Structures are given as C-alpha cells and as structure tokens.
Amino acid sequence: MDTIPNNAERISYLVVFHVFLTMFIWSYWTAIGSKPAGPSKAFSLPSAEKELYEREEQAETQQEILKRVARNLPVYTRTAGGAIRYCDHCQLIKPDRCHHCSTCEMCVLKMDHHCPWVNNCVGFSNYKYFILFLAYASLYCVVICATVIKYFIKFWTKQLPDTHAKFHILFLFFVAALFFISILSLLSYHLWLVGKNRTTIEAFRAPVFTNGPDKSGFSLGFRRNVAEVFGSEAKYWIFPVFSSLGDGHSFVTRSVHIDPEQANSILQQNGKSQSPADGEAHPVRTADDSKEKTDGGQTVSVTMESEP
C-alpha cells in the first residue's frame, strides 16, 4: 500500500517540493560561486607614497602619509585608536566596512564573516545570496515537515500499517524539524542585522568614525537598510541575482555624507572601481536621493570633508 494514495496530492507535493528545492540549490550555488569583491586600485597607495611608507619606521610618520592619501578617498572610519585603517597584507587603505579575511587572503568589501557552510567569504558581493540561501533552506524544511506531519501522526496513532515507510517518515520529520530550528535562528539574526544595516563584525565591534564609535552609524531607517542589501526593486528580492545598491566602496552614514559625483570621480581618477554585478562603476548613494529621514529623525545633508 502506498503511503500517499491520492495522485493529486502526490503531484502537488512534488511540485511544491521541487520549487523550493530549486530555489534552495540556486541560492546556495550563487553564494558558493560568487567571488568576494575586493577594493579597487583607487585605495592602493601611489608609488611615491608607498615607497615613503615602506621606508619610514615611525608609526606617526606612516600615519601622516596615509592621512594625505586618504584625504582624496571617501574613507571615514578609523581604527579603535583613531588611525587610518591600512592593510599591510594587501597594501591598501581599507574602504569603510572593508576587512581582511585571513582565510581568503584578501580584503573583502563590506565583509560580514567567512562562512564554512558555503566555503566562501560573505560580504558585499554575495550577502543577499547568503540570506536567500538561509531563507530557502528554512522554507525547504518547512515544506518537508508540512507534507510529512499528517502521515507522521497517522503512523504514530497506528492508523497506517506498520511498514518500513514508518521509520523513513519519522526520521525525515525529525531531521527537517531540527534543521529548521537551527537555520531559522541564524536567518533571524541576519535579518535583524539587515534591518539595522550592520554586519556581523559591526554587531560585535562598533565602527569608529571621526567623531567616535557608533554601532548604528550606517543605519538609515528600516526600509533604506533593507534596500541596500536587496535592492530598490522588490521583484528581484526573492531571486539570487545581484541587486544590492552601491559599489561597496562608500556608504551613506548618519554623520558623514558623500557627494556621489565627487566621490566617483576621485575613485575613477586613481583606479576604476568595479561592481561585482557588471564590472562597471556605480554612483555612490546619498540620502538626498529620496529626501528621506534617518533613524535619528534628522534630514541627511550632503557634504564632502576636506580632512579625513
């Protein structure tokens, strides 16, 4: 006797199952296969300054060299001690929210963490894919539990014959339920981070701006925060295709705001910044694009500071 005797029920289960399986595999492979985005050449030291930096032994003088170069870059975050963030391994000034991944051996734009589940560094280029992977994994488990629970109860209450299918049903239900609970907790945490416009690194260590540390420094309101990761067009949100806003090199903050044309011209003069989506430079977004208000309730203005 078949466990599911109704053909219409079988077909509906198979269709729903394979839809979520397809989306799960698609998002998983895009999260695995997307190369982490690194800083453009604009953030590398010019040859003359690089030679001076490498010859110099005093940290204070090295910082002065970095400050001169950073004046021409849209960089506004600092180390905990207030110094320019410089990567000695990659030999470049780190853009805001960029961190060096020791596993990938490169600086990653808007780095969140290095994930062993996808064997890749999660950052600006694939953070949306990673969240969709968690979301579809959770929904995949929900579909399995929802289609199995009726027969799980029937076997448990001895309404169906005691066959080998009983063990398979029980095992499938418990495994799917356990995976759902574990994945849902991770998904909930990352959705909370998206709503706050924080990375995992920033959640544990607040970014330091010129006016001090601010854990919510990049938060521009829930809707704007979500759009920064998933994009401004909702029709692309459920698909693992690149739709995140910006170029990953500069970000609108609540305290420092960048003129998009000036910032892009600076980056293109020193080395064209590329988007992981299509390899072309994208304009830096500012809060004036939609005249919205930030979390603090103050209208964001656009200025370019002469000092880093």
Side-chain angles (χ1 to χ4, degrees):
M1 175 182 171
D2 293 328
T3 304
I4 306 176
N6 189 301
N7 285 330
E9 189 177 358
R10 289 181 187 175
I11 294 172
S12 62
Y13 284 177
L14 284 172
V15 171
V16 174
F17 175 85
H18 283 93
V19 166
F20 284 100
L21 175 62
T22 300
M23 297 303 294
F24 165 67
I25 294 176
W26 185 9
S27 57
Y28 181 60
W29 280 107
T30 50
I32 290 177
S34 54
K35 183 180 179 182
S40 71
K41 294 180 180 179
F43 291 85
S44 300
L45 294 180
S47 55
E49 279 76 6
K50 183 179 179 181
E51 186 177 346
L52 287 173
Y53 181 86
E54 292 175 346
R55 280 208 316 259
E56 188 56 55
E57 297 181 358
Q58 294 185 352
E60 294 82 1
T61 309
Q62 287 181 330
Q63 271 299 302
E64 290 300 321
I65 297 172
L66 295 179
K67 285 181 179 179
R68 286 201 303 269
V69 178
R71 251 186 222 122
N72 298 320
L73 296 170
V75 176
Y76 297 98
T77 54
R78 300 290 184 265
T79 64
I84 299 294
R85 300 191 318 126
Y86 182 77
C87 180
D88 290 313
H89 297 283
C90 301
Q91 296 184 330
L92 52 80
I93 294 174
K94 296 179 183 178
D96 293 343
R97 314 185 84 175
C98 174
H99 297 275
H100 185 85
C101 177
S102 56
T103 305
C104 296
E105 297 183 345
M106 64 175 290
C107 282
V108 179
L109 294 178
K110 197 186 177 183
M111 179 178 173
D112 188 89
H113 69 289
H114 187 90
C115 180
W117 285 26
V118 298
N119 192 31
N120 202 356
C121 208
V122 178
F124 173 75
S125 62
N126 60 357
Y127 189 47
K128 176 189 173 184
Y129 308 152
F130 176 74
I131 293 177
L132 289 179
F133 154 62
L134 296 178
Y136 285 120
S138 300
L139 292 173
Y140 183 49
C141 292
V142 168
V143 168
I144 293 175
C145 289
T147 54
V148 165
I149 191 168
K150 179 170 72 172
Y151 301 95
F152 170 80
I153 294 173
K154 285 184 177 182
F155 275 120
W156 190 263
T157 56
K158 300 186 183 303
Q159 296 179 37
L160 289 176
D162 193 3
T163 64
H164 289 297
K166 178 179 180 178
F167 172 76
H168 297 155
I169 293 291
L170 297 178
F171 179 79
L172 183 62
F173 178 80
F174 280 115
V175 169
L178 289 174
F179 268 100
F180 171 72
I181 293 171
S182 60
I183 295 173
L184 182 63
S185 60
L186 184 59
L187 173 63
S188 300
Y189 176 67
H190 278 281
L191 290 177
W192 178 80
L193 289 178
V194 170
K196 296 290 185 180
N197 203 346
R198 297 176 192 169
T199 63
T200 299
I201 295 175
E202 292 165 355
F204 286 95
R205 186 175 65 245
V208 180
F209 297 89
T210 52
N211 58 346
D214 184 0
K215 188 170 285 190
S216 300
F218 293 106
S219 181
L220 302 171
F222 179 78
R223 193 170 70 86
R224 293 285 305 279
N225 294 344
V226 171
E228 186 165 293
V229 174
F230 289 93
S232 55
E233 297 186 60
K235 62 182 179 181
Y236 296 118
W237 288 5
I238 64 173
F239 299 107
V241 295
F242 187 83
S243 59
S244 301
L245 301 180
D247 59 6
H249 291 86
S250 54
F251 301 87
V252 179
T253 75
R254 298 195 301 175
S255 55
V256 177
H257 312 287
I258 308 168
D259 183 315
E261 295 183 0
Q262 188 172 354
N264 259 347
S265 64
I266 291 170
L267 294 180
Q268 291 171 358
Q269 285 173 4
N270 294 280
K272 187 177 182 180
S273 62
Q274 295 186 348
S275 164
D278 54 18
E280 296 181 357
H282 289 282
V284 182
R285 293 167 295 108
T286 68
D288 270 5
D289 289 343
S290 59
K291 299 294 183 182
E292 292 182 356
K293 294 187 177 182
T294 65
D295 290 341
Q298 296 179 350
T299 303
V300 179
S301 59
V302 179
T303 59
M304 173 64 77
E305 297 185 357
S306 59
E307 292 291 331

